[in-house]
Amino acid sequence: MQTKIAPSILSADFSVMGEAIRKLEQNGADLIHCDVMDGSFVEPITFGGQMIKNIRPLTKLPLDCHLMIEHPKTQVKFFAEAGADIITVHYGACAKISETYLEETLRLIKSHGVKCGAVVNPDVPVEKIFNVFPMCDMVLLMSVFPGYGGQKFIPEVLEKIKKAREYAAFVGKPDMDIEIDGGVTEENADIIRKAGANVLVAGSAVFRAADMAKTMANLKG
Ligand code: DX5
Ligand code: ZN
């Protein structure tokens, strides 16, 4: 499976976001990972649908919107209309509302013609989202606790990647996107790919790179 790189614009200079997006596209990015934080589900606040709307005309790459927010259902419409291509929502934010909230949110995302995905934190077993695998276009396994870029990769996620890839095949979706987010570097990308992930988010590794194109190529392997 071809590995895709999704640089996170969380590590960009927000005052020159347009330039950052163009640079990512020119240097081999496959998706643009947009980290949406609400100051409640996670401590920081980043940006909302307006950012997606503004960067949409600047790139042909898919906008991969990672919603680290409470009550994700309330934001789906705004992100879909702003031009998101993929919207992922946290199991943890949904489970505290109701048992069916995650499924309802994924259905709502799909009803807007947008790809959907479920996310689990490092301390949540991937089995918790097995029930929604058949409706997900992507599963996102956090390899750090969400909120901040530049953290260290939690290796326990590797086992979860294997389980997720196996279960995806079991439900008849062997090529489902399995995305890893947090602490991905040129040093650990290989074991992450070998475990079965095919979409790698990278914030600091890409933005701190001396040669962005080379770093992205190395991450792809
Ligand atoms: C963390 C975010 C990540 C983060 C990745 O809450 O979801 O996307 O920006 O950044 P690095 O690659 O620096 O860990
Ligand atoms: Zn993210």
Side-chain angles (χ1 to χ4, degrees):
M1 249 177 126
Q2 189 73 42
T3 302
K4 292 180 269 191
I5 304 301
S8 167
I9 57 171
L10 181 63
S11 298
D13 177 345
F14 282 25
S15 70
V16 286
M17 190 56 87
E19 281 169 38
I21 300 285
R22 283 188 207 98
K23 196 172 171 202
L24 292 172
E25 185 159 11
Q26 282 162 9
N27 285 285
D30 298 288
L31 305 104
I32 303 290
H33 186 80
C34 306
D35 281 312
V36 178
M37 305 187 186
D38 67 351
S40 179
F41 182 72
V42 288
E43 281 182 332
I45 297 176
T46 54
F47 50 77
Q50 184 66 37
M51 176 69 89
I52 307 307
K53 197 170 171 183
N54 289 166
I55 63 177
R56 180 66 287 174
L58 305 181
T59 178
K60 288 193 177 63
L61 297 178
L63 300 178
D64 169 26
C65 299
H66 175 195
L67 304 190
M68 287 161 274
I69 64 173
E70 307 282 7
H71 303 279
K73 228 195 246 183
T74 62
Q75 286 295 314
V76 167
K77 178 173 180 276
F78 300 113
F79 281 86
E81 286 173 0
D85 296 277
I86 308 173
I87 299 176
T88 59
V89 294
H90 272 258
Y91 164 81
C94 296
K96 64 171 98 156
I97 298 173
S98 80
E99 237 175 65
T100 53
Y101 193 93
L102 174 60
E103 199 179 323
E104 289 162 25
T105 310
L106 296 171
R107 236 178 263 293
L108 179 64
I109 296 168
K110 278 189 157 324
S111 76
H112 284 273
V114 175
K115 290 183 177 173
C116 71
V119 192
V120 285
N121 272 0
D123 60 347
V124 177
V126 65
E127 285 83 353
K128 293 276 186 196
I129 55 168
F130 273 0
N131 66 316
V132 294
F133 266 48
M135 60 190 300
C136 281
D137 298 287
M138 177 188 268
V139 160
L140 168 50
L141 305 176
M142 294 302 303
S143 40
V144 299
F145 284 89
Y148 302 94
Q151 302 182 73
K152 211 172 157 308
F153 181 80
I154 298 171
E156 282 72 26
V157 76
L158 294 168
E159 253 333 286
K160 285 163 75 172
I161 301 174
K162 287 182 197 148
K163 280 187 195 167
R165 181 56 73 204
E166 275 168 26
Y167 197 72
F170 176 73
V171 299
K173 299 165 79 172
D175 296 331
M176 188 175 78
D177 281 333
I178 297 180
E179 183 177 53
I180 295 305
D181 186 2
V184 175
T185 64
E186 287 174 77
E187 289 70 42
N188 62 22
D190 192 49
I191 46 164
I192 298 170
R193 282 188 262 105
K194 282 189 179 132
N198 69 311
V199 185
L200 307 188
V201 176
S204 14
V206 165
F207 280 92
R208 283 196 207 137
D211 182 341
M212 203 186 256
K214 198 173 158 209
T215 295
M216 284 209 242
N218 289 341
L219 290 169
K220 276 185 216 191

